[in-house]
Structures are given as C-alpha cells and as structure tokens.
Amino acid sequence: MATMTANHPSPGTIRFDRVEKTYQTTDGGYTTAVADVSLTVEPGELLTVVGPSGCGKTTLIRLVAGLEAPTAGRVQVDGTDVPGPAPERPVVFQEPRLFPWLTARENVAFGLRETDHTEAKIRQRAAEQLKSVGLGDAGGAYPTELSGGMKQRVGLARALAVQPPVLLMDEPFGSVDAHTSRDLQDDLLSVWSRTERTVLFVTHDIGEAVYLGDRVVVMGTDPGHIRETVTVDVARPRDRTDPALADYRERILELIDGN
C-alpha cells in the first residue's frame, strides 16, 4: 500500500473530512443522512462499509462519485475536492445498468470513447477487461443473453476499463444468489490484487465485508456516523471458514446490534 503525506496524497486516496449530508423531506423538513464523518481510504486499500439500513452507507458512495455534494465538510480524491461525476470515479451498483442495445464488449468500451484512444485500442482494452473477469468469449452477447453474475462482471469490466484510481461499489453482489456472489467476490479480489486500485465497497453482508476488507467501517444511525473501524488482520488469500474471520463477523455484528 502506498504512503501519503498530508499535503500530497498518493493516487487513489479518498478522504472524508467532517462530512455531513442533509436532505429536505417531502413535508418541508430536513433529515441528516450522515454527520461528522471523517475517514481516509488509503491508496490501494479495499475498504468495506457495513451498518443497519438508513446509516448512510450509500450516501458515502454517492458523495465520492460526485452524485451528491456534502452539506458540510469536504470529500476529496487525491487531495482535490470532488466537483461532480467523472469517469475516474466509477460506481458499480447493485443493478449492472448496462445498455441493453449494446453488446458486452460495446458496454465495456462505452466509457473509453470519451478518451483519446484509437478505435483499435478501445477494442483491445475492452477485450482485455472482459477476459480479466472471465468473459473473454462473451463479448458479442447482449445483456439479455447474460446471467445476473455475467452482467455484473461486465459492469465491473466497464468500470475498470478507464483505469480509474478508485473503484466505488454499492452492494454490487446483493442481487445475485449466494454461490454467484462468492464467485464475484473472488473475481473482485483477483482484479484488485492485480490492479492495486483503491476500492470503497458498501455491503449489508457482514461476512462479505470481513472476507473482502482490509478494514471494515461499521456505521450507526440517527444520524449516520462511524461507530468503529475494524482492521481485519487475516492474511490473504483468505479462507471463508477461517475461525478468525468468524470472530470478526461476531464482533462486527455486536457493534451493529449495539446501535
């Protein structure tokens, strides 16, 4: 993992500095989704976020993606305030959000067309990214011809195609069955270990958070806040049946239930 200084963050650094996000409600009042959130995601780190419904997990993703702006505080990537959405901060959502009229290869290539790459380079990059997620033979398939897990792999390949310094994931495996989810988790770990991208991963699944994360941020509600950040001190590659992971799962469950 890269190091950084306060003034010169290394590429891939995500920083929340006393962040608050408040929304206006339909009755004219206000509700605070998160308050006083301070957190640094280190370059190359895979950090997971868990917590009960309504604790602001997705709000954190949307703030880094630039889909929302903080009401107070600062959200920065590489030392620069997030001004709005940008290709270098892609989000993989629970639903893949593929373009149904494009093939898998064309979906992956879509973001690359905003770059100065040649058409040949775009086709090459798209093919390489599909191969990296195990879909090297599915480039010509349309989304309706793909399973849920395959669609999510295409979404991951599309996000990675532009070689972003950070990857944002909002419960990306929550809509597939347990077996497919485990496969996708391992796919993500394989890609992450090769690319050394910074990953901010939101999930409702404590087991998933512990298996994937270098650290697990445990959030509480009323309003959303960080209760504790747990370092998962288990060597990789990890075994899901490792008793140490079970201990971490129990500890985090107790933190959440104590909310």
Side-chain angles (χ1 to χ4, degrees), residues 186-246:
D186 289 334
D187 288 343
L188 171 62
L189 288 173
S190 177
V191 170
W192 171 70
S193 66
R194 293 196 309 270
T195 63
E196 299 184 339
R197 297 283 182 265
T198 303
V199 179
L200 179 60
F201 188 108
V202 161
T203 178
H204 65 276
D205 185 328
I206 297 172
E208 180 173 65
V210 168
Y211 179 66
L212 293 176
D214 292 322
R215 292 185 294 157
V216 180
V217 172
V218 184
M219 296 191 68
T221 58
D222 299 322
H225 62 282
I226 295 175
R227 288 184 61 85
E228 190 170 324
T229 300
V230 178
T231 299
V232 183
D233 190 15
V234 177
R236 302 182 187 273
R238 293 171 178 168
D239 182 342
R240 286 184 172 85
T241 65
D242 189 330
L245 293 183

Side-chain angles (χ1 to χ4, degrees), residues 15 47 74 88-89 151 176 179 208 230 232 249:
R15 185 166 181 261
L47 184 138
R74 305 176 75 179
E88 61 266 22
R89 286 177 273 105
K151 290 176 185 176
V176 298
H179 177 75
E208 180 173 65
V230 178
V232 183
R249 290 194 296 270

Side-chain angles (χ1 to χ4, degrees), residues 116-134:
D116 57 1
H117 292 308
T118 65
E119 185 62 29
K121 182 64 175 179
I122 290 173
R123 288 196 300 268
Q124 177 188 356
R125 178 74 60 80
E128 289 172 350
Q129 292 301 325
L130 283 172
K131 184 177 180 180
S132 75
V133 297

